[in-house]
Amino acid sequence: MSIVKINVLTVPEEQREILEKRFASRAGAVESSDGFEWFELLRPIEGTDQYLVYTRWRDEASFQAWMEGPMKAAHQGPGGGEGAERPKPAASGSTVWSFEVVQQAAPKQA
């Protein structure tokens, strides 16, 4: 079954809008990656300053290929080369959680 990667981003209140705009500007960047199945950016409602970036992949190899290719390139900043100006990170911390999907359910068809 699939694997899930959840990137837990600690985002100060004043950086939330910046983070969301950056994700919106990259819309479509992951969807064409081989093995990609799902993405969600989850905004905290109360009690935490942590956003969750949920991605689901066919397997670990697909996730690693994306990490070493398209994701790495996207995080190198404008121009992608040495000396290119990189914007300040919106998150003050990041942790990645990894899970295997062992059970799943979808809505029943009417």
Side-chain angles (χ1 to χ4, degrees):
M1 282 195 135
S2 303
I3 64 156
V4 170
K5 299 292 183 171
I6 300 173
N7 192 357
V8 183
L9 301 175
T10 302
V11 183
E13 180 75 32
E14 66 274 9
Q15 294 292 100
R16 286 180 167 197
E17 185 176 345
I18 292 168
L19 178 91
E20 291 179 23
K21 284 182 179 178
R22 286 181 184 169
F23 270 92
S25 72
R26 284 194 213 134
V30 71
E31 287 90 327
S32 60
S33 296
D34 183 47
F36 170 79
E37 295 177 355
W38 198 260
F39 162 85
E40 292 178 322
L41 175 62
L42 306 176
R43 177 193 303 140
I45 296 174
E46 58 184 317
T48 186
D49 59 356
Q50 295 180 316
Y51 275 71
L52 300 181
V53 183
Y54 174 101
T55 57
R56 183 173 165 142
W57 299 87
R58 176 181 58 228
D59 52 33
E60 182 69 25
S62 298
F63 172 74
Q64 291 301 326
W66 174 75
M67 287 286 290
E68 290 302 315
M71 193 285 298
K72 191 174 189 178
H75 284 82
Q76 288 180 344
E82 281 189 41
E85 187 70 25
R86 290 187 60 193
K88 179 184 173 204
S92 62
S94 173
T95 302
V96 177
W97 298 339
S98 299
F99 299 89
E100 289 180 311
V101 176
V102 293
Q103 291 184 26
Q104 62 186 13
K108 292 185 179 188
Q109 300 297 322

PDB file of all heavy atoms in Angstrom, residues 65-85:
ATOM      1  N   ALA A  65      12.559   9.965  -5.222  1.00  0.00           N
ATOM      2  CA  ALA A  65      12.847  10.510  -6.554  1.00  0.00           C
ATOM      3  C   ALA A  65      12.360  11.952  -6.654  1.00  0.00           C
ATOM      4  O   ALA A  65      13.047  12.814  -7.219  1.00  0.00           O
ATOM      5  CB  ALA A  65      12.198   9.638  -7.632  1.00  0.00           C
ATOM      6  N   TRP A  66      11.201  12.235  -6.104  1.00  0.00           N
ATOM      7  CA  TRP A  66      10.679  13.611  -6.097  1.00  0.00           C
ATOM      8  C   TRP A  66      11.555  14.513  -5.225  1.00  0.00           C
ATOM      9  O   TRP A  66      11.871  15.639  -5.600  1.00  0.00           O
ATOM     10  CB  TRP A  66       9.234  13.620  -5.606  1.00  0.00           C
ATOM     11  CG  TRP A  66       8.694  14.999  -5.435  1.00  0.00           C
ATOM     12  CD1 TRP A  66       8.306  15.858  -6.434  1.00  0.00           C
ATOM     13  CD2 TRP A  66       8.482  15.692  -4.212  1.00  0.00           C
ATOM     14  NE1 TRP A  66       7.869  17.043  -5.889  1.00  0.00           N
ATOM     15  CE2 TRP A  66       7.971  16.960  -4.525  1.00  0.00           C
ATOM     16  CE3 TRP A  66       8.675  15.355  -2.876  1.00  0.00           C
ATOM     17  CZ2 TRP A  66       7.649  17.898  -3.548  1.00  0.00           C
ATOM     18  CZ3 TRP A  66       8.356  16.283  -1.903  1.00  0.00           C
ATOM     19  CH2 TRP A  66       7.845  17.541  -2.245  1.00  0.00           C
ATOM     20  N   MET A  67      11.974  14.007  -4.061  1.00  0.00           N
ATOM     21  CA  MET A  67      12.827  14.793  -3.162  1.00  0.00           C
ATOM     22  C   MET A  67      14.140  15.174  -3.829  1.00  0.00           C
ATOM     23  O   MET A  67      14.618  16.296  -3.663  1.00  0.00           O
ATOM     24  CB  MET A  67      13.131  13.993  -1.884  1.00  0.00           C
ATOM     25  CG  MET A  67      11.978  13.869  -0.923  1.00  0.00           C
ATOM     26  SD  MET A  67      11.633  15.391  -0.041  1.00  0.00           S
ATOM     27  CE  MET A  67      13.062  15.504   1.017  1.00  0.00           C
ATOM     28  N   GLU A  68      14.731  14.245  -4.567  1.00  0.00           N
ATOM     29  CA  GLU A  68      16.025  14.497  -5.183  1.00  0.00           C
ATOM     30  C   GLU A  68      15.935  15.259  -6.502  1.00  0.00           C
ATOM     31  O   GLU A  68      16.936  15.780  -6.979  1.00  0.00           O
ATOM     32  CB  GLU A  68      16.766  13.171  -5.410  1.00  0.00           C
ATOM     33  CG  GLU A  68      17.221  12.529  -4.119  1.00  0.00           C
ATOM     34  CD  GLU A  68      18.132  13.434  -3.295  1.00  0.00           C
ATOM     35  OE1 GLU A  68      19.056  14.046  -3.872  1.00  0.00           O
ATOM     36  OE2 GLU A  68      17.905  13.546  -2.073  1.00  0.00           O
ATOM     37  N   GLY A  69      14.741  15.323  -7.080  1.00  0.00           N
ATOM     38  CA  GLY A  69      14.570  16.014  -8.356  1.00  0.00           C
ATOM     39  C   GLY A  69      13.770  17.293  -8.215  1.00  0.00           C
ATOM     40  O   GLY A  69      14.307  18.324  -7.820  1.00  0.00           O
ATOM     41  N   PRO A  70      12.466  17.231  -8.518  1.00  0.00           N
ATOM     42  CA  PRO A  70      11.642  18.441  -8.544  1.00  0.00           C
ATOM     43  C   PRO A  70      11.606  19.226  -7.228  1.00  0.00           C
ATOM     44  O   PRO A  70      11.681  20.452  -7.243  1.00  0.00           O
ATOM     45  CB  PRO A  70      10.250  17.914  -8.888  1.00  0.00           C
ATOM     46  CG  PRO A  70      10.491  16.635  -9.603  1.00  0.00           C
ATOM     47  CD  PRO A  70      11.735  16.060  -8.982  1.00  0.00           C
ATOM     48  N   MET A  71      11.531  18.556  -6.088  1.00  0.00           N
ATOM     49  CA  MET A  71      11.461  19.282  -4.827  1.00  0.00           C
ATOM     50  C   MET A  71      12.763  20.014  -4.539  1.00  0.00           C
ATOM     51  O   MET A  71      12.772  21.170  -4.146  1.00  0.00           O
ATOM     52  CB  MET A  71      11.129  18.319  -3.677  1.00  0.00           C
ATOM     53  CG  MET A  71      10.725  19.009  -2.376  1.00  0.00           C
ATOM     54  SD  MET A  71      12.023  19.785  -1.383  1.00  0.00           S
ATOM     55  CE  MET A  71      13.034  18.399  -0.975  1.00  0.00           C
ATOM     56  N   LYS A  72      13.861  19.363  -4.772  1.00  0.00           N
ATOM     57  CA  LYS A  72      15.173  19.978  -4.532  1.00  0.00           C
ATOM     58  C   LYS A  72      15.343  21.218  -5.411  1.00  0.00           C
ATOM     59  O   LYS A  72      15.792  22.260  -4.949  1.00  0.00           O
ATOM     60  CB  LYS A  72      16.268  18.953  -4.812  1.00  0.00           C
ATOM     61  CG  LYS A  72      17.643  19.361  -4.350  1.00  0.00           C
ATOM     62  CD  LYS A  72      18.612  18.196  -4.541  1.00  0.00           C
ATOM     63  CE  LYS A  72      19.943  18.471  -3.908  1.00  0.00           C
ATOM     64  NZ  LYS A  72      20.849  17.320  -4.070  1.00  0.00           N
ATOM     65  N   ALA A  73      14.971  21.097  -6.669  1.00  0.00           N
ATOM     66  CA  ALA A  73      15.085  22.221  -7.601  1.00  0.00           C
ATOM     67  C   ALA A  73      14.184  23.381  -7.179  1.00  0.00           C
ATOM     68  O   ALA A  73      14.585  24.543  -7.234  1.00  0.00           O
ATOM     69  CB  ALA A  73      14.736  21.769  -9.018  1.00  0.00           C
ATOM     70  N   ALA A  74      12.972  23.070  -6.712  1.00  0.00           N
ATOM     71  CA  ALA A  74      12.026  24.122  -6.311  1.00  0.00           C
ATOM     72  C   ALA A  74      12.508  24.897  -5.095  1.00  0.00           C
ATOM     73  O   ALA A  74      12.181  26.066  -4.938  1.00  0.00           O
ATOM     74  CB  ALA A  74      10.659  23.499  -6.018  1.00  0.00           C
ATOM     75  N   HIS A  75      13.306  24.266  -4.244  1.00  0.00           N
ATOM     76  CA  HIS A  75      13.763  24.932  -3.027  1.00  0.00           C
ATOM     77  C   HIS A  75      15.129  25.600  -3.169  1.00  0.00           C
ATOM     78  O   HIS A  75      15.677  26.100  -2.202  1.00  0.00           O
ATOM     79  CB  HIS A  75      13.783  23.934  -1.863  1.00  0.00           C
ATOM     80  CG  HIS A  75      12.415  23.642  -1.348  1.00  0.00           C
ATOM     81  ND1 HIS A  75      11.588  22.726  -1.956  1.00  0.00           N
ATOM     82  CD2 HIS A  75      11.714  24.154  -0.315  1.00  0.00           C
ATOM     83  CE1 HIS A  75      10.438  22.689  -1.307  1.00  0.00           C
ATOM     84  NE2 HIS A  75      10.485  23.544  -0.312  1.00  0.00           N
ATOM     85  N   GLN A  76      15.650  25.637  -4.385  1.00  0.00           N
ATOM     86  CA  GLN A  76      16.935  26.303  -4.599  1.00  0.00           C
ATOM     87  C   GLN A  76      16.776  27.790  -4.873  1.00  0.00           C
ATOM     88  O   GLN A  76      17.755  28.491  -5.001  1.00  0.00           O
ATOM     89  CB  GLN A  76      17.711  25.629  -5.721  1.00  0.00           C
ATOM     90  CG  GLN A  76      18.237  24.273  -5.301  1.00  0.00           C
ATOM     91  CD  GLN A  76      19.015  23.580  -6.390  1.00  0.00           C
ATOM     92  OE1 GLN A  76      18.934  23.943  -7.558  1.00  0.00           O
ATOM     93  NE2 GLN A  76      19.769  22.578  -6.014  1.00  0.00           N
ATOM     94  N   GLY A  77      15.539  28.266  -4.942  1.00  0.00           N
ATOM     95  CA  GLY A  77      15.317  29.695  -5.128  1.00  0.00           C
ATOM     96  C   GLY A  77      15.308  30.099  -6.577  1.00  0.00           C
ATOM     97  O   GLY A  77      15.552  29.290  -7.475  1.00  0.00           O
ATOM     98  N   PRO A  78      15.022  31.396  -6.834  1.00  0.00           N
ATOM     99  CA  PRO A  78      14.969  31.906  -8.205  1.00  0.00           C
ATOM    100  C   PRO A  78      16.286  31.655  -8.929  1.00  0.00           C
ATOM    101  O   PRO A  78      17.355  31.865  -8.372  1.00  0.00           O
ATOM    102  CB  PRO A  78      14.723  33.406  -8.029  1.00  0.00           C
ATOM    103  CG  PRO A  78      14.148  33.545  -6.648  1.00  0.00           C
ATOM    104  CD  PRO A  78      14.741  32.414  -5.844  1.00  0.00           C
ATOM    105  N   GLY A  79      16.203  31.201 -10.115  1.00  0.00           N
ATOM    106  CA  GLY A  79      17.401  30.932 -10.901  1.00  0.00           C
ATOM    107  C   GLY A  79      18.023  29.597 -10.592  1.00  0.00           C
ATOM    108  O   GLY A  79      18.700  29.020 -11.413  1.00  0.00           O
ATOM    109  N   GLY A  80      17.810  29.098  -9.367  1.00  0.00           N
ATOM    110  CA  GLY A  80      18.277  27.781  -8.978  1.00  0.00           C
ATOM    111  C   GLY A  80      19.779  27.603  -8.896  1.00  0.00           C
ATOM    112  O   GLY A  80      20.250  26.532  -8.568  1.00  0.00           O
ATOM    113  N   GLY A  81      20.570  28.637  -9.188  1.00  0.00           N
ATOM    114  CA  GLY A  81      22.015  28.461  -9.191  1.00  0.00           C
ATOM    115  C   GLY A  81      22.670  29.085  -7.977  1.00  0.00           C
ATOM    116  O   GLY A  81      22.031  29.693  -7.127  1.00  0.00           O
ATOM    117  N   GLU A  82      23.998  28.948  -7.938  1.00  0.00           N
ATOM    118  CA  GLU A  82      24.747  29.548  -6.843  1.00  0.00           C
ATOM    119  C   GLU A  82      24.610  31.052  -6.907  1.00  0.00           C
ATOM    120  O   GLU A  82      24.586  31.645  -7.979  1.00  0.00           O
ATOM    121  CB  GLU A  82      26.216  29.151  -6.938  1.00  0.00           C
ATOM    122  CG  GLU A  82      26.482  27.755  -6.433  1.00  0.00           C
ATOM    123  CD  GLU A  82      27.976  27.479  -6.339  1.00  0.00           C
ATOM    124  OE1 GLU A  82      28.723  28.373  -5.913  1.00  0.00           O
ATOM    125  OE2 GLU A  82      28.363  26.363  -6.711  1.00  0.00           O
ATOM    126  N   GLY A  83      24.533  31.682  -5.736  1.00  0.00           N
ATOM    127  CA  GLY A  83      24.417  33.137  -5.682  1.00  0.00           C
ATOM    128  C   GLY A  83      23.008  33.646  -5.896  1.00  0.00           C
ATOM    129  O   GLY A  83      22.766  34.843  -5.786  1.00  0.00           O
ATOM    130  N   ALA A  84      22.069  32.774  -6.227  1.00  0.00           N
ATOM    131  CA  ALA A  84      20.688  33.204  -6.430  1.00  0.00           C
ATOM    132  C   ALA A  84      20.094  33.625  -5.091  1.00  0.00           C
ATOM    133  O   ALA A  84      20.347  33.009  -4.064  1.00  0.00           O
ATOM    134  CB  ALA A  84      19.852  32.083  -7.047  1.00  0.00           C
ATOM    135  N   GLU A  85      19.322  34.686  -5.095  1.00  0.00           N
ATOM    136  CA  GLU A  85      18.678  35.190  -3.884  1.00  0.00           C
ATOM    137  C   GLU A  85      17.536  34.271  -3.491  1.00  0.00           C
ATOM    138  O   GLU A  85      16.621  34.041  -4.260  1.00  0.00           O
ATOM    139  CB  GLU A  85      18.142  36.606  -4.140  1.00  0.00           C
ATOM    140  CG  GLU A  85      17.610  37.278  -2.910  1.00  0.00           C
ATOM    141  CD  GLU A  85      18.687  37.671  -1.900  1.00  0.00           C
ATOM    142  OE1 GLU A  85      19.846  37.857  -2.303  1.00  0.00           O
ATOM    143  OE2 GLU A  85      18.351  37.783  -0.705  1.00  0.00           O
TER     144      GLU A  85
END
